[in-house]
Amino acid sequence: MRDRLLETGKSEGKSRTSHAQVVDELGKAIVSGAFPIGSILPGDSELLQRFKVSRTVLRESMKTLAAKGLVVPRARVGTRVTEKIHWNMFDNEVLNWHFESGVNKEFLLHLYDIRMAFEPFAASLVAERASREDIELLRSLAAAMAAPHHTSDSLAVADLHFHLAVTEASQNPFMRSLGGLIEAALVGMFRMSAPPSTNGFANIADTHMAIVDAIAARDGLSAHKAMEFVIIDGRQHVLEAFGALAEA
């Protein structure tokens, strides 16, 4: 399973293609506001000099950014940074760039809104469709959250693995494609919070095991409600973390 956002910053120094480097640097600059919405990106000559790439690489990089909704080319004007409503927030790189730039409470709460819209239903689907192997995997992943000496990052990984396994067991390809949003929400919550021993995450294994028990009982409604509880609980941790920051 993928731990993309948790690995942010750990891949620095690894070789990347020229195309990936240009896309990454410009994408981060746009999301961070270094290139504000409505502004025109520097011209080709300046960007070619800056990145030391061919015109073909630069052109393909701009196509990639345009496909993500971040820019739009204008004849005789240049490449303009679009309004945020056009950005593809389901794109893993766009999510990653937001975290690298620093996310706010509103951003994280929007992620929880989306999770609430589809994850409880995914859990109810799993109650209908899960194989014995699926249930055993989910039970072992929930139990892993109770392991002693978890750090915030290691608990986030364990939590992520559980939720991605639910989307897989739903047997719905659209659910599976939303894994990046789950990852972003979980990473955001755990990064905002204190280590699990002090921030109320001690019951996380129990709340997730309740989802598994409902699935094993083939009780779709209970699985739906148990998943809702987990997401609401996570959302509350985000609110508490931002509240603590405001009081500091």
Side-chain angles (χ1 to χ4, degrees):
M1 295 184 180
R2 301 159 295 174
D3 300 329
R4 296 173 304 274
L5 296 179
L6 288 171
E7 295 301 319
T8 296
K10 294 183 181 180
S11 61
E12 294 298 325
K14 292 183 179 179
S15 60
R16 292 184 295 176
T17 65
S18 297
H19 171 268
Q21 181 181 357
V22 174
V23 170
D24 187 59
E25 291 195 24
L26 289 178
K28 284 190 289 189
I30 290 169
V31 170
S32 70
F35 292 130
I37 290 171
S39 66
I40 303 298
L41 294 185
D44 286 0
S45 297
E46 182 176 340
L47 292 176
L48 289 171
Q49 178 66 27
R50 172 178 173 179
F51 292 110
K52 310 299 184 189
V53 295
S54 68
R55 193 170 296 273
T56 298
V57 168
L58 182 61
R59 183 167 57 248
E60 291 303 312
S61 299
M62 290 302 179
K63 287 181 180 179
T64 298
L65 292 171
K68 296 176 186 295
L70 299 181
V71 300
V72 60
R74 296 296 187 193
R76 297 184 297 276
V77 175
T79 302
R80 184 184 300 276
V81 177
T82 60
E83 297 285 341
K84 288 186 178 181
I85 59 172
H86 300 296
W87 297 2
N88 181 7
M89 298 302 295
F90 291 89
D91 184 278
N92 291 327
E93 284 188 299
V94 174
L95 285 170
N96 204 354
W97 293 330
H98 275 85
F99 272 87
E100 291 190 45
S101 301
V103 296
N104 57 23
K105 179 172 70 173
E106 182 182 34
F107 179 86
L108 288 176
L109 293 182
H110 284 164
L111 286 174
Y112 277 91
D113 288 344
I114 295 300
R115 290 187 68 195
M116 185 64 82
F118 76 86
E119 279 195 83
F121 182 65
S124 67
L125 289 180
V126 177
E128 297 174 6
R129 302 172 179 178
S131 66
R132 181 177 300 176
E133 292 75 16
D134 290 331
I135 295 171
E136 290 176 355
L137 173 62
L138 289 170
R139 194 174 298 280
S140 67
L141 292 173
M145 296 182 202
H149 311 305
H150 265 307
T151 64
S152 291
D153 278 353
S154 68
L155 189 56
V157 171
D159 201 358
L160 172 63
H161 286 178
F162 179 90
H163 287 275
L164 291 183
V166 169
T167 66
E168 288 291 330
S170 74
Q171 300 178 34
N172 184 311
F174 293 99
M175 294 290 185
R176 294 167 181 162
S177 69
L178 294 171
L181 293 176
I182 300 173
E183 182 174 6
L186 291 175
V187 171
M189 177 181 71
F190 284 105
R191 283 186 175 173
M192 283 300 304
S193 304
S197 60
T198 61
N199 67 359
F201 286 140
N203 69 336
I204 191 170
D206 293 336
T207 59
H208 285 70
M209 195 63 76
I211 300 172
V212 181
D213 289 341
I215 288 171
R218 304 298 178 183
D219 187 341
L221 180 59
S222 292
H224 189 287
K225 290 181 177 178
M227 181 64 82
E228 278 188 343
F229 180 86
V230 164
I231 295 171
I232 291 171
D233 188 53
R235 187 178 187 277
Q236 185 60 34
H237 281 295
V238 169
L239 290 172
E240 290 172 357
F242 276 101
L245 287 175
E247 295 174 359

